[in-house]
Amino acid sequence: MRDPREELAERIAGEVTLSEDPGATIRKWREEFDVAQTTLADELDVSASVVSDYESGRRENPGIGVVRRVVEGLLAVDERRGGDRVRQHARVISAGFDSDVVYDLREYSVTVSTDRLYRAIDAEEVVAGRADTVAGHTVINSVEAIKRLSSEEFYRLYGQSTNRALVFTNVTRGESPLVALRVVTPTPSAVVLHGLDDEDLWEHAPALAQADGVSLATTTKPLEELLDSLREFP
């Protein structure tokens, strides 16, 4: 098996190089690694304004040399912190889910606002979370996931990033998905409960989401339409 670090480096470099907005993709990955602009700038031995200029597009598109340095810088910071992002990537490589458990698992090339995601799937936000962006989504059959997945497998539902929306289908009250997430660390940025509206919510669901800093939304959009909308997103 190839080295997960090498595979992750190639993935990031490829996304940045092929992106229509390389700066936004660099920013997305910097945020995924939870690295401040100043920290990355110190790692690259440049000023924070240089990193900011690349991310905002004020500088010309970065060449392969700059991209390589950025990728190596992010990985170096991660390794000093214990290598959590590389380990998560390794888990994703080995992950395999049945199609009746996970309907869709996607990573975005750039972060997008939760408001934009919610508009795409006709979702109404019930509780605002600490984060207002997501970098991917996972659509999960809540009944099958809760019956069949271990806590480790639940963690792998996050894909490349915990900064994502977990969309639970076949929900009747919202109790089980939120309780299940309480045994998984860390929590996602957003949870969308599909199949019920605000009035059908389990009475403690908003309080659980608020306590964990998770954005909570509901949608009654038909499942196939929801999946079609997400396949075209963002």
Side-chain angles (χ1 to χ4, degrees):
M1 179 182 293
R2 293 183 58 199
D3 177 19
R5 184 189 191 280
E6 181 181 346
E7 288 203 359
L8 181 55
E10 289 182 2
R11 177 186 175 85
I12 299 171
E15 280 197 14
V16 174
T17 303
L18 296 175
S19 175
E20 294 181 358
D21 189 344
T25 305
I26 288 174
R27 182 175 66 249
K28 169 225 172 181
W29 279 104
R30 178 179 60 76
E31 292 172 347
E32 291 300 329
F33 277 73
D34 194 24
V35 174
Q37 283 186 342
T38 52
T39 302
L40 180 58
D42 289 344
E43 191 69 29
L44 302 180
D45 196 23
V46 299
S47 67
S49 64
V50 170
V51 175
S52 177
D53 286 349
Y54 274 123
E55 292 186 353
S56 65
R58 288 190 294 268
R59 282 180 177 253
E60 294 182 5
N61 287 351
I64 188 63
V66 172
V67 173
R68 182 182 297 113
R69 290 185 64 204
V70 168
V71 172
E72 287 300 320
L74 291 173
L75 290 171
V77 172
D78 182 57
E79 287 168 346
R80 287 200 298 274
R81 293 173 173 176
D84 287 346
R85 292 301 185 275
V86 173
R87 282 198 299 273
Q88 184 173 349
H89 179 71
R91 282 192 290 268
V92 172
I93 292 173
S94 63
F97 295 105
D98 292 336
S99 60
D100 62 338
V101 175
V102 176
Y103 295 131
D104 190 27
L105 192 156
R106 292 261 313 283
E107 316 295 334
Y108 308 151
S109 60
V110 297
T111 54
V112 300
S113 69
T114 50
D115 286 344
R116 184 178 166 196
L117 173 68
Y118 293 161
R119 287 195 300 270
I121 59 175
D122 298 339
E124 293 290 333
E125 187 174 61
V126 180
V127 175
R130 283 192 292 264
D132 58 5
T133 64
V134 290
H137 67 255
T138 309
V139 185
I140 306 152
N141 182 325
S142 63
V143 175
E144 293 302 319
I146 291 167
K147 286 196 306 186
R148 293 158 55 179
L149 299 186
S150 66
S151 59
E152 171 63 22
E153 288 170 321
F154 245 98
Y155 187 81
R156 295 207 305 269
L157 292 172
Y158 288 107
Q160 297 289 354
S161 168
T162 58
N163 180 25
R164 69 192 304 106
L166 298 187
V167 183
F168 289 95
T169 70
N170 295 332
V171 176
T172 55
R173 294 172 63 223
E175 176 178 1
S176 297
L178 291 170
V179 171
L181 286 177
R182 302 220 88 187
V183 303
V184 180
T185 302
T187 54
S189 295
V191 170
V192 180
L193 302 179
H194 168 263
L196 75 172
D197 56 29
D198 298 0
E199 295 181 355
D200 296 325
L201 266 179
W202 176 50
E203 62 176 324
H204 299 302
L208 281 179
Q210 191 168 36
D212 291 334
V214 175
S215 173
L216 177 65
T218 63
T219 180
T220 57
K221 192 180 184 77
L223 179 58
E224 287 306 316
E225 292 181 21
L226 181 144
L227 291 173
D228 286 343
S229 296
L230 288 175
R231 290 183 187 112
E232 298 173 0
F233 194 78

